[in-house]
Amino acid sequence: MKGRLPGDLMLRCTILDEDGAVKSISGQFRRSDLCNEHRLNPRDLRKIDSRIPNLVPTILIRKEAILINILHIRALVKADTVVLFDTYGSNDSRLHSAFLYHLEHNLKVRGGGSPYEFRAIESILLSVLSALEAEMVFIRNLVGGLLAELEDDINHDKFKRLLHYSRRLASFKNRARLVQDALEEVLEQDDDLNAMYLTDKKKGVARQNHEHDELEVLLEFFSKQVEEIVNEAENIESNVQSTQEIVELILDSNRNALLALDLKVSILTMGLGSGALVAGLFGMNLKSHLEELPYAFAAMTAVSAAIAAFAAWAGLWRLAKIRKVGLTNSQTTNRGSDPKSRAPWIPLPLRRRNFNGWS
């Protein structure tokens, strides 16, 4: 069994100071040193360790720091420092560069009056929201284009793509909902909201538990934005499910049409066979004394054609009766053929109730 490598204790981080300047880019730091410097427990860093898969977004509030693990961002926010942990296996360098640029710019702006940690949280949540919106637009275009193609032609490949897109959409909706749940979880805890005022805590400013309006408004804004994305994903998922059901109904209808055609051919074959039965009877080498009559051939031909036509008509009539399906078929069968006993079907909420029951 192989031992743990020394490199497993190292983390790659990008550090920004209180002025928004980058002090270190992708620097190597020991996990124990980070815990000692920022007064964290080792288990706290496991939540934001990029090599450990964490599918559930988390926002952890500690005594002097806020740990954020949402989608592609894993950060440690303090009253005067932001530590960004490099995401392992991330290929979207453009998104990371845009986030880092916006974070630097937002941290350098001091005129807004917001504390340092709130400006950092705003940049982080804005990057998360941008990532969700970009993926939402991409999935919407994929699904919308495929649904438009299915209106013209339905084949196996398109139906397979629709299944793949529906799974991708469900995965995206689940991730967006988890982000919303993480924000809602923080909003429901007054103690956590109050503990996120790191600047005031560092300066020794006493705060009441209900004095967190600024942070609450900030988190509620992003929570509502994420909720809109979740609702849009649910609407697209509903359209996909409706399309799948309609496609299945069309395929079932075509399958039933082919089965009905096969039954019609079989019924016509049965009718021809019934007519040929008469010819088969006369084909036996037995004397019937009908061969001496001058009109026997014409009469037997007419009888054979009539039998074949009657058998075919009876079979087709029975098939049409079986294929005729309605909502009142069961009621008609149970009540009989009396027209007076057939009451019109009315939804239950629209009926009137008397002492004997619903009418």
Side-chain angles (χ1 to χ4, degrees):
M1 183 177 179
K2 295 183 179 180
R4 190 175 179 86
L5 296 177
D8 293 340
L9 301 176
M10 305 296 293
L11 294 177
R12 297 176 57 185
C13 307
T14 299
I15 301 177
L16 289 84
D17 60 11
E18 59 182 353
D19 296 326
V22 178
K23 294 174 56 178
S24 174
I25 297 179
S26 299
Q28 296 284 343
F29 298 91
R30 293 180 60 87
R31 183 181 299 178
S32 58
D33 295 338
L34 291 174
C35 292
N36 295 331
E37 181 181 358
H38 303 292
R39 302 179 64 180
L40 299 173
N41 294 322
R43 62 176 178 270
D44 295 333
L45 290 181
R46 287 181 60 86
K47 287 293 184 180
I48 56 179
D49 190 353
S50 60
R51 291 164 297 181
I52 300 176
N54 294 311
L55 301 179
V56 180
T58 54
I59 300 177
L60 302 178
I61 292 88
R62 294 298 180 255
K63 187 175 182 180
E64 297 181 358
I66 302 172
L67 298 170
I68 300 177
N69 173 26
I70 302 179
L71 298 183
H72 61 284
I73 296 179
R74 303 184 181 192
L76 184 147
V77 180
K78 299 186 68 176
D80 54 1
T81 306
V82 175
V83 180
L84 300 177
F85 297 86
D86 291 356
T87 304
Y88 179 77
S90 178
N91 296 324
D92 196 349
S93 58
R94 181 184 59 84
L95 183 62
H96 180 75
S97 300
F99 162 65
L100 188 59
Y101 174 78
H102 184 271
L103 179 61
E104 292 182 41
H105 177 73
N106 205 12
L107 293 179
K108 292 178 181 178
V109 177
R110 299 177 180 269
S114 298
Y116 179 90
E117 62 273 14
F118 290 0
R119 285 176 281 152
I121 293 175
E122 181 183 3
S123 297
I124 292 174
L125 296 181
L126 185 61
S127 179
V128 171
L129 184 62
S130 300
L132 290 176
E133 290 178 347
E135 188 172 0
M136 183 73 260
V137 171
F138 180 73
I139 294 178
R140 184 202 306 149
N141 294 335
L142 284 179
V143 175
L146 182 59
L147 295 183
E149 294 178 5
L150 286 174
E151 294 180 359
D152 300 330
D153 183 27
I154 300 175
N155 54 40
H156 176 73
D157 294 335
K158 293 180 181 179
F159 203 66
K160 189 175 180 180
R161 286 168 53 196
L162 182 63
L163 179 61
H164 174 70
Y165 291 163
S166 62
R167 291 176 179 175
R168 183 170 182 175
L169 178 61
S171 176
F172 168 77
K173 185 188 73 172
N174 184 40
R175 285 187 283 112
R177 182 169 293 170
L178 289 176
V179 174
Q180 181 186 2
D181 293 342
L183 296 175
E184 293 293 338
E185 183 179 357
V186 176
L187 287 171
E188 293 174 357
Q189 302 295 331
D190 290 337
D191 295 337
D192 290 343
L193 290 173
N194 190 39
M196 293 177 71
Y197 283 81
L198 302 179
T199 301
D200 291 348
K201 189 185 301 184
K202 183 179 179 180
K203 295 179 180 180
V205 178
R207 302 186 61 85
Q208 299 295 329
N209 288 337
H210 61 277
E211 295 179 353
H212 44 66
D213 295 338
E214 182 181 358
L215 179 59
E216 188 174 358
V217 170
L218 176 64
L219 296 180
E220 283 183 350
F221 169 77
F222 287 102
S223 178
K224 295 299 182 182
Q225 295 293 322
V226 176
E227 184 180 1
E228 292 181 1
I229 294 176
V230 173
N231 292 335
E232 184 177 359
E234 290 178 350
N235 292 335
I236 296 177
E237 187 178 30
S238 177
N239 293 336
V240 171
Q241 291 177 354
S242 300
T243 302
Q244 288 178 341
E245 294 175 358
I246 293 174
V247 168
E248 291 175 357
L249 289 176
I250 293 175
L251 295 178
D252 291 340
S253 178
N254 293 339
R255 189 182 303 110
N256 293 336
L258 293 176
L259 292 176
L261 179 61
D262 181 67
L263 287 175
K264 290 178 181 179
V265 173
S266 300
I267 290 173
L268 294 176
T269 303
M270 181 192 68
L272 294 176
S274 300
L277 176 63
V278 179
L281 294 176
F282 285 95
M284 295 185 296
N285 294 326
L286 298 176
K287 293 183 178 181
S288 60
H289 302 289
L290 293 177
E291 59 272 5
E292 298 177 357
L293 299 177
Y295 302 105
F297 177 78
M300 288 301 101
T301 300
V303 170
S304 299
I307 292 176
F310 176 77
W313 174 82
L316 294 176
W317 176 80
R318 182 60 180 172
L319 177 62
K321 186 177 181 180
I322 292 175
R323 293 187 63 191
K324 188 177 181 180
V325 179
L327 296 177
T328 59
N329 280 1
S330 58
Q331 297 179 359
T332 304
T333 303
N334 295 332
R335 296 181 182 179
S337 58
D338 187 6
K340 297 181 180 180
S341 63
R342 302 177 186 174
W345 183 83
I346 303 177
L348 186 59
L350 300 181
R351 300 181 186 180
R352 293 181 299 174
R353 188 174 185 179
N354 52 28
F355 294 101
N356 297 325
W358 292 96
S359 62

